[in-house]
PDB file of all heavy atoms in Angstrom:
ATOM      1  N   ALA A 249      28.045  60.173 -59.558  1.00 97.00           N
ATOM      2  CA  ALA A 249      27.344  59.152 -60.366  1.00 97.00           C
ATOM      3  C   ALA A 249      28.232  58.696 -61.518  1.00 97.00           C
ATOM      4  O   ALA A 249      28.324  57.552 -61.881  1.00 97.00           O
ATOM      5  CB  ALA A 249      26.035  59.693 -60.898  1.00 97.00           C
ATOM      6  N   LEU A 250      28.937  59.697 -62.089  1.00 96.00           N
ATOM      7  CA  LEU A 250      29.668  59.411 -63.333  1.00 96.00           C
ATOM      8  C   LEU A 250      30.654  58.234 -63.224  1.00 96.00           C
ATOM      9  O   LEU A 250      30.658  57.363 -64.095  1.00 96.00           O
ATOM     10  CB  LEU A 250      30.380  60.667 -63.854  1.00 96.00           C
ATOM     11  CG  LEU A 250      30.983  60.503 -65.254  1.00 96.00           C
ATOM     12  CD1 LEU A 250      29.870  60.333 -66.325  1.00 96.00           C
ATOM     13  CD2 LEU A 250      31.847  61.661 -65.584  1.00 96.00           C
ATOM     14  N   PRO A 251      31.536  58.203 -62.224  1.00 96.00           N
ATOM     15  CA  PRO A 251      32.473  57.095 -62.176  1.00 96.00           C
ATOM     16  C   PRO A 251      31.812  55.718 -62.118  1.00 96.00           C
ATOM     17  O   PRO A 251      32.339  54.754 -62.674  1.00 96.00           O
ATOM     18  CB  PRO A 251      33.302  57.351 -60.876  1.00 96.00           C
ATOM     19  CG  PRO A 251      32.876  58.707 -60.432  1.00 96.00           C
ATOM     20  CD  PRO A 251      31.708  59.139 -61.105  1.00 96.00           C
ATOM     21  N   LEU A 252      30.701  55.690 -61.448  1.00 97.00           N
ATOM     22  CA  LEU A 252      29.933  54.429 -61.347  1.00 97.00           C
ATOM     23  C   LEU A 252      29.489  53.996 -62.751  1.00 97.00           C
ATOM     24  O   LEU A 252      29.608  52.811 -63.122  1.00 97.00           O
ATOM     25  CB  LEU A 252      28.778  54.547 -60.388  1.00 97.00           C
ATOM     26  CG  LEU A 252      29.099  54.885 -58.960  1.00 97.00           C
ATOM     27  CD1 LEU A 252      27.928  55.409 -58.184  1.00 97.00           C
ATOM     28  CD2 LEU A 252      29.680  53.676 -58.251  1.00 97.00           C
ATOM     29  N   LEU A 253      28.928  54.948 -63.443  1.00 97.00           N
ATOM     30  CA  LEU A 253      28.409  54.669 -64.775  1.00 97.00           C
ATOM     31  C   LEU A 253      29.625  54.244 -65.684  1.00 97.00           C
ATOM     32  O   LEU A 253      29.486  53.282 -66.485  1.00 97.00           O
ATOM     33  CB  LEU A 253      27.702  55.912 -65.308  1.00 97.00           C
ATOM     34  CG  LEU A 253      26.454  56.355 -64.533  1.00 97.00           C
ATOM     35  CD1 LEU A 253      25.999  57.756 -65.045  1.00 97.00           C
ATOM     36  CD2 LEU A 253      25.306  55.302 -64.683  1.00 97.00           C
ATOM     37  N   GLN A 254      30.690  54.985 -65.536  1.00 96.00           N
ATOM     38  CA  GLN A 254      31.830  54.762 -66.358  1.00 96.00           C
ATOM     39  C   GLN A 254      32.418  53.354 -66.148  1.00 96.00           C
ATOM     40  O   GLN A 254      32.827  52.641 -67.122  1.00 96.00           O
ATOM     41  CB  GLN A 254      32.942  55.791 -66.136  1.00 96.00           C
ATOM     42  CG  GLN A 254      33.995  55.835 -67.167  1.00 96.00           C
ATOM     43  CD  GLN A 254      33.398  55.961 -68.584  1.00 96.00           C
ATOM     44  OE1 GLN A 254      32.628  56.858 -68.877  1.00 96.00           O
ATOM     45  NE2 GLN A 254      33.783  55.096 -69.490  1.00 96.00           N
ATOM     46  N   ASP A 255      32.404  52.917 -64.885  1.00 97.00           N
ATOM     47  CA  ASP A 255      32.868  51.542 -64.526  1.00 97.00           C
ATOM     48  C   ASP A 255      32.008  50.452 -65.277  1.00 97.00           C
ATOM     49  O   ASP A 255      32.575  49.485 -65.824  1.00 97.00           O
ATOM     50  CB  ASP A 255      32.896  51.332 -63.037  1.00 97.00           C
ATOM     51  CG  ASP A 255      33.471  49.974 -62.695  1.00 97.00           C
ATOM     52  OD1 ASP A 255      34.618  49.732 -63.173  1.00 97.00           O
ATOM     53  OD2 ASP A 255      32.896  49.258 -61.908  1.00 97.00           O
ATOM     54  N   ILE A 256      30.733  50.696 -65.299  1.00 96.00           N
ATOM     55  CA  ILE A 256      29.836  49.764 -65.980  1.00 96.00           C
ATOM     56  C   ILE A 256      30.202  49.695 -67.395  1.00 96.00           C
ATOM     57  O   ILE A 256      30.274  48.666 -68.047  1.00 96.00           O
ATOM     58  CB  ILE A 256      28.352  50.174 -65.724  1.00 96.00           C
ATOM     59  CG1 ILE A 256      27.991  50.175 -64.242  1.00 96.00           C
ATOM     60  CG2 ILE A 256      27.477  49.235 -66.528  1.00 96.00           C
ATOM     61  CD1 ILE A 256      26.679  50.849 -63.943  1.00 96.00           C
ATOM     62  N   ILE A 257      30.372  50.909 -68.000  1.00 96.00           N
ATOM     63  CA  ILE A 257      30.591  51.032 -69.478  1.00 96.00           C
ATOM     64  C   ILE A 257      31.939  50.389 -69.842  1.00 96.00           C
ATOM     65  O   ILE A 257      32.060  49.627 -70.773  1.00 96.00           O
ATOM     66  CB  ILE A 257      30.497  52.505 -69.881  1.00 96.00           C
ATOM     67  CG1 ILE A 257      29.090  53.045 -69.675  1.00 96.00           C
ATOM     68  CG2 ILE A 257      30.897  52.636 -71.388  1.00 96.00           C
ATOM     69  CD1 ILE A 257      29.007  54.506 -69.756  1.00 96.00           C
ATOM     70  N   THR A 258      32.924  50.743 -68.989  1.00 95.00           N
ATOM     71  CA  THR A 258      34.273  50.280 -69.303  1.00 95.00           C
ATOM     72  C   THR A 258      34.485  48.806 -69.046  1.00 95.00           C
ATOM     73  O   THR A 258      35.030  48.041 -69.865  1.00 95.00           O
ATOM     74  CB  THR A 258      35.320  51.061 -68.438  1.00 95.00           C
ATOM     75  OG1 THR A 258      34.957  52.384 -68.499  1.00 95.00           O
ATOM     76  CG2 THR A 258      36.725  50.769 -68.930  1.00 95.00           C
ATOM     77  N   ASN A 259      33.972  48.332 -67.905  1.00 94.00           N
ATOM     78  CA  ASN A 259      34.305  46.941 -67.464  1.00 94.00           C
ATOM     79  C   ASN A 259      33.218  45.949 -67.458  1.00 94.00           C
ATOM     80  O   ASN A 259      33.384  44.755 -67.289  1.00 94.00           O
ATOM     81  CB  ASN A 259      34.906  47.043 -66.005  1.00 94.00           C
ATOM     82  CG  ASN A 259      36.119  47.955 -65.909  1.00 94.00           C
ATOM     83  OD1 ASN A 259      36.955  47.821 -66.823  1.00 94.00           O
ATOM     84  ND2 ASN A 259      36.090  48.762 -64.958  1.00 94.00           N
ATOM     85  N   GLY A 260      31.980  46.419 -67.720  1.00 92.00           N
ATOM     86  CA  GLY A 260      30.816  45.537 -67.498  1.00 92.00           C
ATOM     87  C   GLY A 260      30.677  44.490 -68.639  1.00 92.00           C
ATOM     88  O   GLY A 260      30.014  43.478 -68.373  1.00 92.00           O
ATOM     89  N   GLY A 261      31.215  44.775 -69.864  1.00 92.00           N
ATOM     90  CA  GLY A 261      31.057  43.792 -70.898  1.00 92.00           C
ATOM     91  C   GLY A 261      29.612  43.854 -71.495  1.00 92.00           C
ATOM     92  O   GLY A 261      29.212  42.904 -72.165  1.00 92.00           O
ATOM     93  N   PHE A 262      28.874  44.929 -71.230  1.00 94.00           N
ATOM     94  CA  PHE A 262      27.539  45.021 -71.812  1.00 94.00           C
ATOM     95  C   PHE A 262      27.658  45.571 -73.212  1.00 94.00           C
ATOM     96  O   PHE A 262      28.566  46.267 -73.610  1.00 94.00           O
ATOM     97  CB  PHE A 262      26.661  45.914 -70.954  1.00 94.00           C
ATOM     98  CG  PHE A 262      26.478  45.355 -69.508  1.00 94.00           C
ATOM     99  CD1 PHE A 262      27.281  45.866 -68.512  1.00 94.00           C
ATOM    100  CD2 PHE A 262      25.640  44.323 -69.302  1.00 94.00           C
ATOM    101  CE1 PHE A 262      27.170  45.383 -67.228  1.00 94.00           C
ATOM    102  CE2 PHE A 262      25.525  43.811 -68.068  1.00 94.00           C
ATOM    103  CZ  PHE A 262      26.277  44.326 -66.967  1.00 94.00           C
ATOM    104  N   VAL A 263      26.706  45.249 -74.010  1.00 93.00           N
ATOM    105  CA  VAL A 263      26.816  45.574 -75.466  1.00 93.00           C
ATOM    106  C   VAL A 263      25.525  46.292 -75.908  1.00 93.00           C
ATOM    107  O   VAL A 263      24.406  45.919 -75.529  1.00 93.00           O
ATOM    108  CB  VAL A 263      26.945  44.251 -76.323  1.00 93.00           C
ATOM    109  CG1 VAL A 263      26.986  44.655 -77.830  1.00 93.00           C
ATOM    110  CG2 VAL A 263      28.249  43.577 -75.950  1.00 93.00           C
ATOM    111  N   PHE A 264      25.721  47.366 -76.601  1.00 94.00           N
ATOM    112  CA  PHE A 264      24.633  48.130 -77.154  1.00 94.00           C
ATOM    113  C   PHE A 264      23.963  47.287 -78.239  1.00 94.00           C
ATOM    114  O   PHE A 264      24.575  47.064 -79.289  1.00 94.00           O
ATOM    115  CB  PHE A 264      25.159  49.462 -77.671  1.00 94.00           C
ATOM    116  CG  PHE A 264      24.106  50.403 -78.131  1.00 94.00           C
ATOM    117  CD1 PHE A 264      23.467  51.278 -77.199  1.00 94.00           C
ATOM    118  CD2 PHE A 264      23.778  50.564 -79.485  1.00 94.00           C
ATOM    119  CE1 PHE A 264      22.482  52.165 -77.609  1.00 94.00           C
ATOM    120  CE2 PHE A 264      22.838  51.469 -79.825  1.00 94.00           C
ATOM    121  CZ  PHE A 264      22.165  52.279 -78.922  1.00 94.00           C
ATOM    122  N   ASN A 265      22.722  46.954 -78.017  1.00 92.00           N
ATOM    123  CA  ASN A 265      22.082  46.063 -79.047  1.00 92.00           C
ATOM    124  C   ASN A 265      21.710  46.911 -80.259  1.00 92.00           C
ATOM    125  O   ASN A 265      20.988  47.905 -80.097  1.00 92.00           O
ATOM    126  CB  ASN A 265      20.795  45.470 -78.398  1.00 92.00           C
ATOM    127  CG  ASN A 265      20.178  44.333 -79.229  1.00 92.00           C
ATOM    128  OD1 ASN A 265      20.265  44.390 -80.445  1.00 92.00           O
ATOM    129  ND2 ASN A 265      19.668  43.373 -78.522  1.00 92.00           N
ATOM    130  N   PRO A 266      22.146  46.416 -81.484  1.00 92.00           N
ATOM    131  CA  PRO A 266      21.951  47.290 -82.674  1.00 92.00           C
ATOM    132  C   PRO A 266      20.450  47.271 -83.082  1.00 92.00           C
ATOM    133  O   PRO A 266      20.050  48.151 -83.902  1.00 92.00           O
ATOM    134  CB  PRO A 266      22.783  46.624 -83.727  1.00 92.00           C
ATOM    135  CG  PRO A 266      23.005  45.249 -83.261  1.00 92.00           C
ATOM    136  CD  PRO A 266      23.001  45.286 -81.754  1.00 92.00           C
ATOM    137  N   ASN A 267      19.656  46.310 -82.594  1.00 93.00           N
ATOM    138  CA  ASN A 267      18.263  46.228 -82.988  1.00 93.00           C
ATOM    139  C   ASN A 267      17.365  46.547 -81.851  1.00 93.00           C
ATOM    140  O   ASN A 267      17.310  45.792 -80.871  1.00 93.00           O
ATOM    141  CB  ASN A 267      18.030  44.829 -83.530  1.00 93.00           C
ATOM    142  CG  ASN A 267      16.533  44.692 -84.118  1.00 93.00           C
ATOM    143  OD1 ASN A 267      15.616  45.218 -83.538  1.00 93.00           O
ATOM    144  ND2 ASN A 267      16.431  44.111 -85.256  1.00 93.00           N
ATOM    145  N   TYR A 268      16.603  47.650 -81.917  1.00 94.00           N
ATOM    146  CA  TYR A 268      15.807  48.086 -80.789  1.00 94.00           C
ATOM    147  C   TYR A 268      14.781  47.100 -80.350  1.00 94.00           C
ATOM    148  O   TYR A 268      14.708  46.722 -79.160  1.00 94.00           O
ATOM    149  CB  TYR A 268      15.162  49.402 -81.147  1.00 94.00           C
ATOM    150  CG  TYR A 268      14.354  50.045 -79.958  1.00 94.00           C
ATOM    151  CD1 TYR A 268      15.027  50.724 -78.964  1.00 94.00           C
ATOM    152  CD2 TYR A 268      13.004  49.913 -79.932  1.00 94.00           C
ATOM    153  CE1 TYR A 268      14.344  51.331 -77.914  1.00 94.00           C
ATOM    154  CE2 TYR A 268      12.256  50.561 -78.888  1.00 94.00           C
ATOM    155  CZ  TYR A 268      12.974  51.198 -77.863  1.00 94.00           C
ATOM    156  OH  TYR A 268      12.250  51.779 -76.855  1.00 94.00           O
ATOM    157  N   ALA A 269      14.097  46.539 -81.286  1.00 92.00           N
ATOM    158  CA  ALA A 269      12.981  45.576 -80.991  1.00 92.00           C
ATOM    159  C   ALA A 269      13.539  44.328 -80.298  1.00 92.00           C
ATOM    160  O   ALA A 269      12.892  43.760 -79.415  1.00 92.00           O
ATOM    161  CB  ALA A 269      12.178  45.289 -82.206  1.00 92.00           C
ATOM    162  N   ASN A 270      14.795  43.961 -80.754  1.00 91.00           N
ATOM    163  CA  ASN A 270      15.279  42.714 -80.205  1.00 91.00           C
ATOM    164  C   ASN A 270      15.633  42.758 -78.692  1.00 91.00           C
ATOM    165  O   ASN A 270      15.715  41.753 -78.053  1.00 91.00           O
ATOM    166  CB  ASN A 270      16.602  42.338 -80.979  1.00 91.00           C
ATOM    167  CG  ASN A 270      16.304  41.623 -82.232  1.00 91.00           C
ATOM    168  OD1 ASN A 270      15.098  41.284 -82.540  1.00 91.00           O
ATOM    169  ND2 ASN A 270      17.262  41.286 -82.985  1.00 91.00           N
ATOM    170  N   ILE A 271      15.812  43.972 -78.223  1.00 92.00           N
ATOM    171  CA  ILE A 271      16.128  44.127 -76.826  1.00 92.00           C
ATOM    172  C   ILE A 271      14.998  43.505 -75.950  1.00 92.00           C
ATOM    173  O   ILE A 271      15.244  42.894 -74.907  1.00 92.00           O
ATOM    174  CB  ILE A 271      16.256  45.621 -76.381  1.00 92.00           C
ATOM    175  CG1 ILE A 271      17.315  46.292 -77.240  1.00 92.00           C
ATOM    176  CG2 ILE A 271      16.452  45.778 -74.918  1.00 92.00           C
ATOM    177  CD1 ILE A 271      17.325  47.821 -77.108  1.00 92.00           C
ATOM    178  N   PHE A 272      13.704  43.571 -76.463  1.00 91.00           N
ATOM    179  CA  PHE A 272      12.626  43.063 -75.689  1.00 91.00           C
ATOM    180  C   PHE A 272      12.054  41.748 -76.229  1.00 91.00           C
ATOM    181  O   PHE A 272      10.956  41.363 -75.933  1.00 91.00           O
ATOM    182  CB  PHE A 272      11.528  44.146 -75.737  1.00 91.00           C
ATOM    183  CG  PHE A 272      12.051  45.551 -75.410  1.00 91.00           C
ATOM    184  CD1 PHE A 272      12.280  46.450 -76.413  1.00 91.00           C
ATOM    185  CD2 PHE A 272      12.342  45.832 -74.146  1.00 91.00           C
ATOM    186  CE1 PHE A 272      12.858  47.674 -76.091  1.00 91.00           C
ATOM    187  CE2 PHE A 272      12.937  47.113 -73.791  1.00 91.00           C
ATOM    188  CZ  PHE A 272      13.123  48.003 -74.803  1.00 91.00           C
ATOM    189  N   SER A 273      12.955  41.128 -77.064  1.00 87.00           N
ATOM    190  CA  SER A 273      12.414  39.842 -77.649  1.00 87.00           C
ATOM    191  C   SER A 273      12.386  38.747 -76.662  1.00 87.00           C
ATOM    192  O   SER A 273      13.124  38.751 -75.660  1.00 87.00           O
ATOM    193  CB  SER A 273      13.412  39.490 -78.795  1.00 87.00           C
ATOM    194  OG  SER A 273      13.744  38.156 -78.726  1.00 87.00           O
ATOM    195  N   TYR A 274      11.508  37.781 -76.888  1.00 80.00           N
ATOM    196  CA  TYR A 274      11.323  36.717 -75.882  1.00 80.00           C
ATOM    197  C   TYR A 274      12.471  35.683 -76.007  1.00 80.00           C
ATOM    198  O   TYR A 274      12.605  34.766 -75.210  1.00 80.00           O
ATOM    199  CB  TYR A 274      10.029  35.992 -76.163  1.00 80.00           C
ATOM    200  CG  TYR A 274       8.832  36.687 -75.547  1.00 80.00           C
ATOM    201  CD1 TYR A 274       8.595  38.004 -75.881  1.00 80.00           C
ATOM    202  CD2 TYR A 274       7.996  36.043 -74.595  1.00 80.00           C
ATOM    203  CE1 TYR A 274       7.511  38.687 -75.274  1.00 80.00           C
ATOM    204  CE2 TYR A 274       6.909  36.720 -74.055  1.00 80.00           C
ATOM    205  CZ  TYR A 274       6.669  38.014 -74.368  1.00 80.00           C
ATOM    206  OH  TYR A 274       5.640  38.647 -73.794  1.00 80.00           O
ATOM    207  N   SER A 275      13.291  35.799 -77.056  1.00 80.00           N
ATOM    208  CA  SER A 275      14.413  34.850 -77.216  1.00 80.00           C
ATOM    209  C   SER A 275      15.695  35.410 -76.691  1.00 80.00           C
ATOM    210  O   SER A 275      16.697  34.718 -76.776  1.00 80.00           O
ATOM    211  CB  SER A 275      14.503  34.406 -78.635  1.00 80.00           C
ATOM    212  OG  SER A 275      14.706  35.584 -79.429  1.00 80.00           O
ATOM    213  N   ASN A 276      15.668  36.552 -76.150  1.00 73.00           N
ATOM    214  CA  ASN A 276      16.900  37.279 -75.775  1.00 73.00           C
ATOM    215  C   ASN A 276      16.942  37.494 -74.281  1.00 73.00           C
ATOM    216  O   ASN A 276      16.851  38.531 -73.816  1.00 73.00           O
ATOM    217  CB  ASN A 276      16.925  38.610 -76.510  1.00 73.00           C
ATOM    218  CG  ASN A 276      18.319  38.994 -76.850  1.00 73.00           C
ATOM    219  OD1 ASN A 276      19.291  38.315 -76.495  1.00 73.00           O
ATOM    220  ND2 ASN A 276      18.501  40.112 -77.575  1.00 73.00           N
ATOM    221  N   GLN A 277      16.995  36.342 -73.561  1.00 77.00           N
ATOM    222  CA  GLN A 277      16.476  36.396 -72.176  1.00 77.00           C
ATOM    223  C   GLN A 277      17.497  36.892 -71.087  1.00 77.00           C
ATOM    224  O   GLN A 277      17.758  38.083 -70.938  1.00 77.00           O
ATOM    225  CB  GLN A 277      15.851  35.096 -71.814  1.00 77.00           C
ATOM    226  CG  GLN A 277      14.465  34.957 -72.464  1.00 77.00           C
ATOM    227  CD  GLN A 277      13.417  35.897 -71.817  1.00 77.00           C
ATOM    228  OE1 GLN A 277      13.604  36.305 -70.730  1.00 77.00           O
ATOM    229  NE2 GLN A 277      12.392  36.142 -72.563  1.00 77.00           N
ATOM    230  N   SER A 278      18.044  35.977 -70.346  1.00 84.00           N
ATOM    231  CA  SER A 278      18.683  36.301 -69.065  1.00 84.00           C
ATOM    232  C   SER A 278      19.844  37.325 -69.274  1.00 84.00           C
ATOM    233  O   SER A 278      20.599  37.250 -70.247  1.00 84.00           O
ATOM    234  CB  SER A 278      19.249  35.109 -68.385  1.00 84.00           C
ATOM    235  OG  SER A 278      18.159  34.210 -68.164  1.00 84.00           O
ATOM    236  N   PRO A 279      20.016  38.216 -68.370  1.00 85.00           N
ATOM    237  CA  PRO A 279      21.124  39.203 -68.403  1.00 85.00           C
ATOM    238  C   PRO A 279      22.443  38.536 -68.226  1.00 85.00           C
ATOM    239  O   PRO A 279      22.859  38.163 -67.117  1.00 85.00           O
ATOM    240  CB  PRO A 279      20.807  40.202 -67.313  1.00 85.00           C
ATOM    241  CG  PRO A 279      20.021  39.408 -66.289  1.00 85.00           C
ATOM    242  CD  PRO A 279      19.296  38.351 -67.072  1.00 85.00           C
TER     243      PRO A 279
END
Side-chain angles (χ1 to χ4, degrees):
Chain A
L250 188 69
L252 297 165
L253 298 170
Q254 193 55 51
D255 186 48
I256 300 169
I257 295 164
T258 313
N259 303 315
F262 299 99
V263 178
F264 187 83
N265 192 324
N267 183 316
Y268 185 78
N270 276 358
I271 300 169
F272 313 101
S273 130
Y274 278 58
S275 56
N276 211 358
Q277 285 287 338
S278 301

